[in-house]
Amino acid sequence: ETGVTQTPRHLVMGMTNKKSLKCEQHLGHNAMYWYKQSAKKPLELMFVYNFKEQTENNSVPSRFSPECPNSSHLFLHLHTLQPEDSALYLCASSQKADLSYNEQFFGPGTRLTVL
Amino acid sequence: GQNIDQPTEMTATEGAIVQINCTYQTSGFNGLFWYQQHAGEAPTFLSYNVLDGLEEKGRFSSFLSRSKGYSYLLLKELQMKDSASYLCAVRDRITGGGNKLTFGTGTQLKVEL
């Protein structure tokens, strides 16, 4: 257990569905991240939130919409996804996002399949 | 941008030593991380290097040469449970402030009897 939880662990959705992924960290950290991990590809950073403010968006399509209501919770809202969006979506947290060494703690991930 | 290269797969014998290399090209290097990821699980932090040299932590050590854009992860006294993917990640400073962390594709290590 890393102190970062994600729900659901598995999700199957159609291209017209709307769903949300949830991440919660119990470590008192101030930065939270969404990553996408596809088969045979490097881990891709999607979004970074630092003190609830989005500080990075790595050219992610608008069908992915993040939300960070407080430093402990992070959501990823999904709508009109494509089959190529099927991947493992990982949430991570760290003490702070920038300027200094900060170890990231990862959640177990949500395995998303888009039909 | 960044270019991170590491071998796709390696095989080693239980009890042996294995070295996993990572080379990178970056414009504003600000640290290198190694993570371990077992199949179906989240990555877990192993080590961090920002200065040249060797960092030792139990059976695992990580080395960095900034001038060569090179790092390696050394695993000693290999155990079957060390079979996993090992991810090299490089952080570099970005224009306007802040850092960006980019991961390599990972090296799948298989430990055999």
Side-chain angles (χ1 to χ4, degrees):
Chain A
E1 289 293 327
T2 62
V4 182
T5 58
Q6 289 185 243
T7 53
R9 294 294 307 275
H10 300 272
L11 177 63
V12 179
M13 59 187 289
M15 288 190 286
T16 59
N17 292 156
K18 288 185 179 180
K19 296 287 183 183
S20 295
L21 309 185
K22 179 183 177 182
C23 176
E24 184 174 359
Q25 57 96 0
H26 312 274
L27 301 168
H29 288 165
N30 297 306
M32 297 188 77
Y33 310 76
W34 277 118
Y35 285 89
K36 175 184 178 182
Q37 189 171 38
S38 304
K40 309 294 184 185
K41 289 186 177 180
L43 203 57
E44 301 171 57
L45 180 63
M46 300 175 71
F47 301 104
V48 180
Y49 278 83
N50 197 26
F51 292 95
K52 301 188 300 179
E53 298 296 321
Q54 187 178 128
T55 57
E56 193 164 333
N57 176 339
N58 279 312
S59 303
V60 181
S62 59
R63 57 185 184 270
F64 295 91
S65 175
E67 179 190 0
C68 188
N70 54 62
S71 294
S72 300
H73 294 86
L74 185 65
F75 296 89
L76 188 63
H77 303 300
L78 316 171
H79 65 96
T80 59
L81 294 192
Q82 305 298 312
E84 58 265 29
D85 296 323
S86 298
L88 180 68
Y89 288 84
L90 290 162
C91 173
S93 72
S94 64
Q95 190 62 39
K96 53 185 176 178
D98 294 326
L99 304 179
S100 64
Y101 158 57
N102 55 92
E103 176 185 347
Q104 294 187 18
F105 294 82
F106 286 82
T110 295
R111 175 67 63 185
L112 174 67
T113 302
V114 181
L115 302 177
Chain B
Q2 292 174 329
N3 189 22
I4 301 174
D5 289 310
Q6 50 181 134
T8 305
E9 295 177 337
M10 296 183 72
T11 302
T13 305
E14 188 179 35
I17 298 173
V18 71
Q19 178 175 311
I20 303 174
N21 296 325
C22 173
T23 57
Y24 63 88
Q25 295 173 320
T26 181
S27 54
F29 179 81
N30 195 22
L32 186 145
F33 296 79
W34 283 97
Y35 284 82
Q36 178 191 62
Q37 186 176 23
H38 285 99
E41 298 182 14
T44 56
F45 170 83
L46 290 178
S47 68
Y48 171 75
N49 296 71
V50 67
L51 300 176
D52 289 350
L54 188 68
E55 294 281 342
E56 297 186 78
K57 189 186 293 186
R59 293 190 298 115
F60 292 7
S61 303
S62 57
F63 172 83
L64 176 68
S65 169
R66 290 173 297 172
S67 61
K68 295 182 180 178
Y70 168 68
S71 172
Y72 67 73
L73 181 69
L74 192 71
L75 292 76
K76 304 176 186 175
E77 300 169 17
L78 280 174
Q79 302 175 10
M80 298 298 289
K81 67 178 183 180
D82 296 330
S83 294
S85 181
Y86 291 86
L87 309 176
C88 173
V90 175
R91 183 173 66 193
D92 66 350
R93 297 181 192 86
I94 55 178
T95 304
N99 293 277
K100 181 171 182 176
L101 187 66
T102 303
F103 284 78
T105 52
T107 298
Q108 187 65 45
L109 174 66
K110 183 179 179 182
V111 180
E112 298 178 329
L113 291 172

